[in-house]
Amino acid sequence: MALTEGDRAAHPRTRLDAEGVRTLAGSRLAAPAVAAGLVVLSTLVVALVTPTVPYEAAGVIYLVGVLGVSSLYGLWWGLGTSVASAVAFNFFFLPPAHTLVINSSSDWAALAAFVLTALVTSNLAARVRDERDEAARLAAEARMSESFATLIADAPSLAAVLPTLASQAARALGASDGAIHRGAPAPARRGASVLPLEFNERWMGELRLIDVPPGALDQPAAGRIARSLAGLIALGEERERRLQQQVQAEALSRSDDLKTALLRAVSHDFRSPLMAITTAAGGLRYARLDDEDRELLETITDQSARMSRMIENLLDLSKLQAGAVSARADWLDPRELVEAAVDELERGERPAGPIELDLAHDLPLVRGDAGQLQRVLVNLIENGLKFSPPDAPVRIAVAQQGDGVDIAVEDRGPGVPEAEAERIFEPFNRGAAKGDVAGSGLGLAIARGLATANGCRLTVEPAPGGGSRFVLRVPVPPSGRRA
Amino acid sequence: MTAGSTRILVVDDERPIRRALEVTLAKAGYSVGSATDASDALTQAALHPPDLVIVDLMLPDGDGAELTKQLRDWLQAPILLISAVGEEQDKIRALDAGADDYLTKPFGIGELLARVRALLRRSEGSVAGEQVVGTDALQIDLPHRIVTANGTEVHLTPTEFDLLKELALADGRPLTHRMLLRKVWGPGYAQEMQLLRTHMGRLRDKLEAAGVPRTSIETLTGVGYRLRGQ
């Protein structure tokens, strides 16, 4: 599409034009001056050559001027130059000279041919000029996009490079300066023009321009620049996000490695000496010892066992708090889970106390980590036994409730006040019963942590006949239900 | 075989634990050798073939499961594993590789000696070839596929019978979930825990109804099952 000179006046060409064109076209007076100059120059040259060349042929020299003006200033200036050349040629060279009168019909034909040739030449030259300008603009845009991409690739952050991008794009659009605004679209301020930046229909921000030439934003180049900018901002954003993820992942993996290594070291370093003490003390059971020595030996054995339990608890708690507990889920029979927990307690070193079981038959299978859920139950039962009067049994009831299996551990202890119902699951919080009840205050915290890690819910409520009722709700996967 | 001539090889890299085990076992009348790592253990076992090997699951030059596998290639003697809490997967690998039993730290010396005695007793007389296996309360007549609990017949489905039979044939050794699934259902069923849990529950129900405690089949949490009292 060829733009008229009038359009050009209204929309000064962008600064993407080729360097030379820009210099020549710099002044508004340049076009008429150059056109007049070339007509005068052509007239002088024709005057110089006419003694030897027939004037009809010498007229061709004017075409050089028309060509030059068309290619520099476009079609309309070219046409003007053609008319001026025709008038000058007629006035100076076509007989009768120094008049605008033409006598011979062949002279009429020559002038007509000249004007026609000049018209075609102007048109062609102007088209070539427009195409050249367009090519120069596209090349400049490509260079700009390349420089944008390099800027974004090298920049430490997207924010650092946005001002440079904005002012380069602004200058390319003929504005004096610009800024890229990344937030929500804001109402344009007076005197500021705004170019929205969208990438795949996603709002990437807007380019706010100062002193933008009228209409510059309606040109195809403006759309191309906006798309290129938006695409690069999206790219920069993506790159920043990836970089951030990478940094986070590295930090996370470092801290995870550290936690795991630390826990492993601590567990090994604490357990091994205790294991050696327990084994060595056990070896002394064959020694000939008097009653007092045997009492000392029992103290060593009992206290090592106690310390060992405390270390296991601390390790479990730190693993839970470090997020280092992973549940190895498999199909479990809730009944078997409870029986194994009770079995573990009954075969333990300390007398377990009375336990009463009320287990429904044909319970659905559940999914969870057998070891971890058994640990939850052992801790709950131990807690119940600790707080119950010696002869009052701890009652364990298992039944299906909706889409889960509820394992309830009921004791006849002092109960848990409603205000404490959540606090008792915090580490080192031993609830209302203090002083006379042994324990580290970690059992319930570990139970809650392991239950959560297995997708179960652990809560406490008052038991119907007094005391507390701890309920472990284990969800039943659809395929766990028995036929 | 008298205790004095029974040779036990202790494999543990922690000197205090190794020494405590050596001294205790020696006092209990066994002849004890020791090794600090897997390669040392292989050398020791080749030089003085032991009647029983006690292996710590965590060794500096490899794990107990790998050592078990290497020993099992040529050694018949029972292998007892010593493991820490949370090493279930390593235990399972070692049991699958041919270990006979395991103890979880911390354990009492009494428990260790009881396991050692049971393993040695079993290695002397195997249940292989016997027609009736089981415990005092629970008799499994293999050729007739009849189970009697305290003298009364217990009616089991073929799957429940096979499950109980495998546990009884293991002669008190732990069987991993995988082992049971493969033996009872077939190699393609090694991961079908739902089957095992469901049938084990029903088998226990029937045994309980016949007066055999449910815990006669011990749940080895995260590992497998074992028939108690053999």
Side-chain angles (χ1 to χ4, degrees):
Chain A
M1 183 189 74
L3 291 172
T4 62
E5 200 53 53
D7 285 341
R8 285 186 204 291
H11 309 292
R13 292 207 311 275
T14 67
R15 296 188 181 208
L16 295 174
D17 295 12
E19 200 70 25
V21 178
R22 195 165 65 202
T23 331
L24 277 173
S27 160
R28 282 181 63 89
L29 290 174
V34 169
L38 282 174
V39 173
V40 172
L41 191 66
S42 305
T43 309
L44 288 175
V45 173
V46 174
L48 279 174
V49 298
T50 32
T52 49
V53 179
Y55 61 85
E56 294 94 331
V60 171
I61 286 165
Y62 282 101
L63 288 180
V64 178
V66 173
L67 199 65
V69 172
S70 302
S71 67
L72 281 180
Y73 302 105
L75 182 62
W76 292 104
W77 285 110
L79 291 178
T81 311
S82 308
V83 173
S85 299
V87 170
F89 183 56
N90 179 18
F91 185 78
F92 289 111
F93 303 109
L94 289 185
H98 306 298
T99 65
L100 289 174
V101 181
I102 300 165
N103 289 335
S104 134
S105 59
S106 68
D107 284 350
W108 270 113
L111 188 64
F114 171 80
V115 168
L116 197 68
T117 313
L119 278 175
V120 171
T121 308
S122 313
N123 199 12
L124 281 177
R127 196 172 291 174
V128 167
R129 165 187 175 274
D130 283 347
E131 278 168 7
R132 182 199 58 206
D133 284 2
E134 185 64 14
R137 247 197 310 276
L138 289 174
E141 276 175 32
R143 275 198 303 278
M144 189 180 68
S145 286
E146 191 192 333
S147 101
F148 282 179
T150 317
L151 271 172
I152 285 194
D154 291 345
S157 74
L158 187 58
V161 80
L162 281 181
T164 320
L165 286 182
S167 51
Q168 283 197 11
R171 271 186 274 118
L173 288 164
S176 66
D177 205 355
I180 291 173
H181 170 77
R182 295 295 317 281
R189 273 173 299 164
R190 271 164 64 88
S193 307
V194 165
L195 189 63
L197 306 175
E198 280 178 7
F199 180 72
N200 286 345
E201 297 183 359
R202 195 157 65 91
W203 174 265
M204 302 308 305
E206 58 190 22
L207 177 62
R208 293 179 178 169
L209 297 162
I210 301 161
D211 299 334
V212 65
L217 299 188
D218 301 326
Q219 286 192 50
R224 284 197 296 269
I225 288 174
R227 278 194 296 280
S228 149
L229 260 184
L232 285 167
I233 291 172
L235 190 74
E237 219 175 42
E238 177 64 17
R239 179 171 159 268
E240 220 162 51
R241 204 173 54 80
R242 290 260 166 93
L243 219 63
Q244 213 171 2
Q245 275 178 346
Q246 197 185 337
V247 168
Q248 277 174 346
E250 273 169 16
L252 209 63
S253 124
R254 259 202 308 279
S255 90
D256 266 8
D257 288 353
L258 195 68
K259 274 180 203 158
T260 313
L262 193 69
L263 282 170
R264 212 178 166 80
V266 168
S267 71
H268 185 258
D269 293 354
F270 281 14
R271 280 166 171 163
S272 292
L274 262 176
M275 182 61 208
I277 292 170
T278 315
T279 317
L284 280 177
R285 62 196 247 143
Y286 296 101
R288 266 182 242 275
L289 299 174
D290 60 31
D291 287 352
E292 283 181 338
D293 287 343
R294 198 153 290 282
E295 193 188 324
L296 294 181
L297 181 61
E298 266 170 34
T299 306
I300 294 174
T301 316
D302 291 352
Q303 296 306 305
S304 314
R306 192 176 153 211
M307 193 157 173
S308 174
R309 278 196 302 276
M310 277 154 56
I311 287 171
E312 294 305 325
N313 277 340
L314 270 174
L315 279 173
D316 281 345
L317 191 74
S318 30
K319 272 188 211 159
L320 279 167
Q321 292 190 335
V325 169
S326 53
R328 187 179 276 272
D330 210 333
W331 291 103
L332 306 172
D333 182 348
R335 207 184 149 96
E336 184 179 271
L337 204 60
V338 172
E339 285 164 352
V342 173
D343 193 41
E344 180 187 330
L345 281 166
E346 285 178 342
R347 292 193 305 133
E349 297 143 38
R350 290 161 300 164
I355 297 170
E356 215 177 82
L357 295 180
D358 175 12
L359 310 179
H361 281 271
D362 283 333
L363 287 162
L365 294 183
V366 295
R367 276 187 80 80
D369 184 304
Q372 291 174 8
L373 289 182
Q374 185 171 324
R375 186 78 198 285
V376 173
L377 294 179
V378 166
N379 285 9
L380 290 180
I381 300 166
E382 268 183 334
N383 178 76
L385 290 169
K386 218 183 315 180
F387 289 98
S388 280
D391 52 340
V394 166
R395 189 170 167 278
I396 306 168
V398 185
Q400 186 169 6
Q401 297 285 339
D403 56 356
V405 167
D406 278 3
I407 305 178
V409 180
E410 241 177 74
D411 64 55
R412 291 281 167 269
V416 180
E418 211 178 317
E420 296 268 309
E422 270 306 302
R423 281 193 46 213
I424 57 160
F425 293 109
E426 287 168 15
F428 304 108
N429 190 322
R430 295 171 51 196
K434 294 178 177 77
D436 56 333
V437 177
S440 57
L442 293 180
L444 290 179
I446 291 166
R448 167 62 76 83
L450 289 176
T452 309
N454 280 273
C456 304
R457 210 178 59 206
L458 176 59
T459 50
V460 66
E461 59 196 36
S468 345
R469 183 172 191 262
F470 288 84
V471 181
L472 178 71
R473 158 66 64 101
V474 193
V476 176
S479 48
R481 297 186 182 105
R482 286 184 188 179
Chain B
M1 183 174 4
T2 62
S5 68
T6 304
R7 188 176 166 77
I8 296 178
L9 176 62
V10 176
V11 189
D12 198 320
D13 59 316
E14 302 266 342
R15 190 184 173 276
I17 297 175
R18 197 175 62 240
R19 275 301 291 160
L21 288 172
E22 278 171 11
V23 172
T24 310
L25 290 165
K27 285 196 174 185
Y30 298 104
S31 148
V32 188
S34 66
T36 53
D37 55 37
S39 62
D40 190 15
L42 288 166
T43 315
Q44 294 281 333
L47 284 175
H48 314 283
D51 299 298
L52 185 138
V53 189
I54 297 176
V55 178
D56 191 299
L57 254 183
M58 292 296 157
L59 291 173
D61 61 341
D63 64 5
E66 189 52 38
L67 175 60
T68 300
K69 211 169 138 195
Q70 285 173 318
L71 285 172
R72 262 294 160 266
D73 285 344
W74 55 275
L75 187 74
Q76 293 294 314
I79 298 173
L80 174 63
L81 303 165
I82 295 176
S83 67
V85 177
E87 291 174 352
E88 269 65 32
Q89 293 310 307
D90 302 297
K91 275 183 219 168
I92 291 171
R93 279 199 305 123
L95 289 172
D96 284 341
D100 295 86
D101 205 349
Y102 66 87
L103 273 172
T104 304
K105 293 182 203 172
F107 50 82
I109 281 299
E111 202 180 348
L112 171 76
L113 293 174
R115 294 289 172 91
V116 166
R117 279 194 299 272
L119 285 173
L120 288 171
R121 180 175 46 75
R122 268 182 239 140
S123 70
E124 278 175 19
S126 155
V127 293
E130 289 181 22
Q131 294 203 347
V132 179
V133 293
T135 66
D136 292 341
L138 194 63
Q139 300 281 308
I140 300 143
D141 182 340
L142 296 174
H144 301 100
R145 293 180 72 89
I146 291 170
V147 176
T148 46
N150 303 311
T152 321
E153 189 179 340
V154 186
H155 295 284
L156 298 178
T157 65
T159 304
E160 288 158 8
F161 179 87
D162 288 343
L163 209 49
L164 186 60
K165 180 190 81 182
E166 291 304 336
L167 287 165
L169 285 175
D171 200 12
R173 289 189 192 89
L175 287 178
T176 64
H177 298 131
R178 251 169 96 85
M179 284 176 180
L180 276 170
L181 282 163
R182 290 168 70 103
K183 282 173 193 257
V184 176
W185 281 273
Y189 290 81
Q191 307 298 325
E192 302 292 320
M193 278 291 278
Q194 275 171 294
L195 280 178
L196 183 57
R197 297 283 192 211
T198 307
H199 286 89
M200 187 59 80
R202 290 181 184 153
L203 172 61
R204 278 171 163 160
D205 286 347
K206 288 185 181 176
L207 293 180
E208 189 183 30
V212 179
R214 299 178 70 85
T215 47
S216 297
I217 299 173
E218 186 186 351
T219 302
L220 306 167
T221 306
V223 177
Y225 297 93
R226 162 202 342 249
L227 189 63
R228 269 186 191 146
Q230 279 185 300

